[in-house]
Structure formats: structure tokens, C-alpha cells
Amino acid sequence: MKWQQVQDGPSAVYVVVLDPGEDPVAELTAFARDRSLGASQVTAVGAFSQAVVGWFDRQAKDYRPIPVEQQCEVLSLIGDVAVAGDGPTPHLHAVLGLSDGSTRGGHLLSGRVWPTLEVVVRDSPAELAKTHRPDIGLALIDPG
């Protein structure tokens, strides 16, 4: 992973480029914690050699994995970074394009970058906290 800060100040902007084989969830989590990001927006494009997205099952209160075991284009990756119990944590959703033109999408659980993933992270001076909601089974941003 390589990165460059392209805007200074309290609303910093970073361009993060992931290398082949890297897991975007792990790398962006490490980046967010290293930079102490507290309220950021994330967008990205690129491709994966394989990925797993998830659909949240309300009954089970957990993500149902949807494996994508082929090369796929990252048509859209959006998300945020907020502070959870263990530090800054990205929450990422992806739409992945397959070779036949179909798509798979959901919460990005894991992936393997190939050949690149180009990420823009826009931070803000605020800090948003995620609070675990046992009734839902997720940690959600609590604006308040």
C-alpha cells in the first residue's frame, strides 16, 4: 500500500493505492488507525481477483457471506470510517462487476486486490462514534 495526503488541514484528503494481493478491509483498517481517522468518507475503484461481500441477515444478526471467486471490477466502493470500541473502523459497501456483466454487491467482508485499488479518503475534524446495538447485532454510528 502507498498513500499520499493531497489536502492538508482539519479536512485532510488522502489517496491510498493498494497493491496486488492486499486485503482492502485489513489495509484500510490499519490506515485509519495509523492516521487516527475519526469521521471519514471512503470511495474507491479498481479490481479484485476474488472477494467476499455480505448480506446482513436480520434474524441471525450476522452477515451471510456471498463469495465472488473470480476476477471482478470494483464498480463502486463507498463507505465511512468511525470510531468503534477497538478504534477507527471502516464500514465499506461494494458493487462488483463480473465478466458476464452481472454484479454482486453488499458489505465488503474481504477481497484480494488485483491489479490495484485506488481509494480516496476524505477526513473531517469531527469524531463519530459507533455504538454496538445488541437489538440489531451491529455497531452503528451514534451522531449524538
Side-chain angles (χ1 to χ4, degrees), residues 92 94 100 113:
L92 306 170
D100 64 359
V113 171

Side-chain angles (χ1 to χ4, degrees), residues 11-93:
S11 297
V13 177
Y14 304 92
V15 174
V16 180
V17 179
L18 277 66
D19 294 319
E22 291 184 313
D23 180 339
V25 177
E27 294 296 327
L28 292 174
T29 299
F31 179 80
R33 292 178 181 180
D34 183 56
R35 305 297 305 162
S36 299
L37 302 180
S40 301
Q41 294 180 315
V42 177
T43 58
V45 295
F48 298 146
S49 60
Q50 63 85 25
V52 178
V53 293
W55 177 80
F56 191 74
D57 184 332
R58 291 173 60 176
Q59 300 283 342
K61 296 183 180 176
D62 200 3
Y63 288 99
R64 186 181 306 164
I66 303 166
V68 179
E69 297 181 5
Q70 61 180 284
Q71 176 71 26
C72 53
E73 295 288 327
V74 178
L75 304 176
S76 176
L77 188 148
I78 61 170
D80 59 42
V81 176
V83 179
D86 53 353
T89 303
H91 179 183
L92 306 170
H93 286 196

Side-chain angles (χ1 to χ4, degrees), residues 98-121:
L98 307 182
S99 63
D100 64 359
S102 66
T103 58
R104 297 288 185 276
H107 181 89
L108 184 63
L109 298 174
S110 67
R112 288 287 166 234
V113 171
W114 192 91
T116 190
L117 187 69
E118 301 162 346
V119 185
V120 176
V121 180

